[in-house]
Amino acid sequence: MLGNFEYYNPTKLYFGKESLSFLGKELANYGNVVMLSYGGGSIKRNGIYDKVVAILKEAGKTIVEDPGVMPNPTIEKLMEGVERARNNNVDLILAVGGGSVCDYAKGVAASVHCTGDPWTKYYLNQEEPTCKVLPVGCVLTMVGTGSEMNGGSVITNHATNLKIGKVFGAELMPKFAVMNPEFTFSIPQYQMVAGIFDIMSHLMEQYFSDTDDNTTDYIIEGLMRSLIQSSMVAINDPHNYEARSNIMWTATWALNTLLKKGKTTDWEVHMIGHAVGAHTGATHGMTLSAVSLPYYRYIMPYGREKFVRFAMEVWGVHVCGCHGGGTLDVQTQNAVALKGLEVMEMWMKQIGVAMNLTSLGVTPDMIEGIADSTVLGGGYKVLTRDEVVKILRDSL
Ligand code: NZQ
Ligand code: ZN
């Protein structure tokens, strides 16, 4: 394991079919006024809204309605939420939705009692809150981001074509999250598979860095295998509880701060994906799937042995009875590594994620602008702007 680290995660999870029944008890820990933040209406259609409101009323809470959090939440919406929470002296923000609603709730919670412009302070300058923050709870209805158990808050600013994530500290991680896999049954297939690829990307972007023998990499391989297996079940049988519960649990562990401990990590696919999202408004997971294969094929030579291990341990590619890439010559290593990516491509096509940027509305004349919005970094290879342009062109 590399470096020194501290591990602390304060989010309490209620998981399973009966998990919402714990909400009433949990609400007793907070003040009277609850801002109920949610998205564009899916929770009204699938009945989750009625269930949550009944529990809030039973607990004697005053409900401040805060609807309309859009996918890829904007800074304008965040400011509207701050105003609403201020005007109503809100004690708790209850986010009912996916990553967008949970991320938004954290941004609002960090800003209600603070002065200064949240966009500049938290997202552009990556500062920490210097004021009282509100507690956030999350009833998760869409799986992928891990927002239910992390401090991440990704906000889009269309005026500047920037989509930036701020990873807040423990005080802004949700105090609790309710995770009922049945709540995810109504997610449209497109969103479900986007979420599945988002999870895969979180796992890959922590896996593809460093060369030491690291416990985290073995955990990630297990999570990837579980995700691949469950995804194949869920695309054919979206109401399969076993598969949906495995996907939900894998998503949480993929990005709840555990895996990155002792790893340098990568995150360049997310940086490119966020830039694509800022320019197109496309679904997060699809912005990642559209650029992943060109990206990984490009950086493979810089982390060849890890790609060989990925091919063998995750995708079941085997050659000559050897175990581990170290004993193979470079030519064979390249072949095995590329075979692994080829099998991954087959899986991506099978589950039905976006395979190129064109399908997300990106045209060649947008490439330079997207590259300008991309934060440069990387794991095995730190990209230059020209290399980002090449990967974007290869992804069209
Ligand atoms: O708005 P409603 O009507 O609720 O519909 C939503 C939305 O259109 C729908 N949906 C959610 N649950 C549903 C449902 N439809 C039917 N039944 C249900 N049970 O799904 C759509 C997408 O929801 P959204 O919350 O946007 O999806 P997701 O969870 O993928 O969140 C994406 C956002 O999270 C950020 C992304 O960048 C993006 O802004 N991320 C947050 C991260 C974090 N906190 O650490 C990390 C991620 O890498 C990611 O960047
Ligand atoms: Zn993501």
Side-chain angles (χ1 to χ4, degrees), residues 212-246:
D212 63 321
D213 186 41
N214 188 310
T215 301
T216 294
D217 291 333
Y218 298 90
I219 300 173
I220 293 176
E221 286 164 356
L223 291 171
M224 286 175 173
R225 287 205 294 266
S226 170
L227 179 69
I228 295 160
Q229 158 65 21
S230 296
S231 68
M232 296 307 292
V233 175
I235 52 158
N236 294 315
D237 181 10
H239 286 209
N240 185 299
Y241 183 84
E242 189 174 73
R244 298 307 285 262
S245 62
N246 284 333

Side-chain angles (χ1 to χ4, degrees), residues 111-385:
S111 310
V112 173
H113 295 290
C114 279
T115 52
D117 169 43
W119 175 253
T120 308
K121 185 173 176 170
Y122 298 132
Y123 300 93
L124 277 181
N125 295 346
Q126 297 283 306
E127 292 172 24
E128 301 308 323
T130 48
C131 57
K132 181 184 134 185
V133 302
L134 289 180
V136 171
C138 177
V139 176
L140 194 66
T141 69
M142 156 80 198
V143 165
T145 65
S147 187
E148 65 277 9
M149 203 184 185
N150 69 34
S153 170
V154 183
I155 297 296
T156 297
N157 185 327
H158 287 296
T160 55
N161 277 335
L162 290 174
K163 179 176 180 181
I164 303 179
K166 163 72 182 163
V167 182
F168 287 110
E171 79 275 21
L172 277 156
M173 291 183 187
K175 299 289 178 222
F176 63 90
V178 172
M179 302 170 64
N180 181 347
E182 288 182 334
F183 288 179
T184 69
F185 286 175
S186 57
I187 299 171
Q189 184 101 348
Y190 186 84
Q191 294 293 340
M192 177 182 82
V193 297
I196 288 168
F197 196 83
D198 191 20
I199 303 166
M200 190 66 178
S201 196
H202 296 157
L203 293 170
M204 290 175 75
E205 292 183 71
Q206 293 171 97
Y207 185 73
F208 286 113
S209 62
D210 314 315
T211 53
D212 63 321
D213 186 41
N214 188 310
T215 301
T216 294
D217 291 333
Y218 298 90
I219 300 173
I220 293 176
E221 286 164 356
L223 291 171
M224 286 175 173
R225 287 205 294 266
S226 170
L227 179 69
I228 295 160
Q229 158 65 21
S230 296
S231 68
M232 296 307 292
V233 175
I235 52 158
N236 294 315
D237 181 10
H239 286 209
N240 185 299
Y241 183 84
E242 189 174 73
R244 298 307 285 262
S245 62
N246 284 333
I247 294 169
M248 190 176 231
W249 195 224
T250 303
T252 302
W253 285 94
L255 203 59
N256 73 353
T257 72
L258 175 80
L259 300 181
K260 71 175 182 186
K261 302 299 173 189
K263 295 279 301 181
T264 55
T265 71
D266 181 333
W267 300 118
E268 194 54 31
V269 167
H270 265 69
M271 294 304 101
I272 301 173
H274 283 174
V276 171
H279 285 257
T280 61
T283 298
H284 172 63
M286 298 308 193
T287 66
L288 309 175
S289 63
V291 301
S292 279
L293 287 166
Y295 176 76
Y296 287 114
R297 286 185 174 126
Y298 184 74
I299 68 156
M300 186 276 282
Y302 302 93
R304 190 180 284 108
E305 290 193 4
K306 196 60 163 288
F307 279 89
V308 170
R309 177 172 162 177
F310 178 64
M312 290 178 151
E313 301 299 328
V314 179
W315 297 105
V317 176
H318 287 291
V319 278
C320 66
C322 305
H323 198 72
T327 55
L328 306 171
D329 61 47
V330 170
Q331 209 180 1
T332 313
Q333 284 188 12
N334 281 341
V336 173
L338 290 174
K339 185 72 189 168
L341 292 175
E342 191 186 314
V343 182
M344 181 169 106
E345 181 171 4
M346 283 160 52
W347 168 73
M348 291 167 70
K349 286 180 175 161
Q350 236 168 327
I351 64 170
V353 291
M355 299 303 291
N356 56 65
L357 289 173
T358 307
S359 65
L360 303 180
V362 176
T363 48
D365 58 301
M366 294 165 73
I367 297 288
E368 296 292 331
I370 294 173
D372 287 338
S373 303
T374 303
V375 177
L376 301 176
Y380 288 122
K381 170 83 179 82
V382 175
L383 296 187
T384 62
R385 187 184 176 284

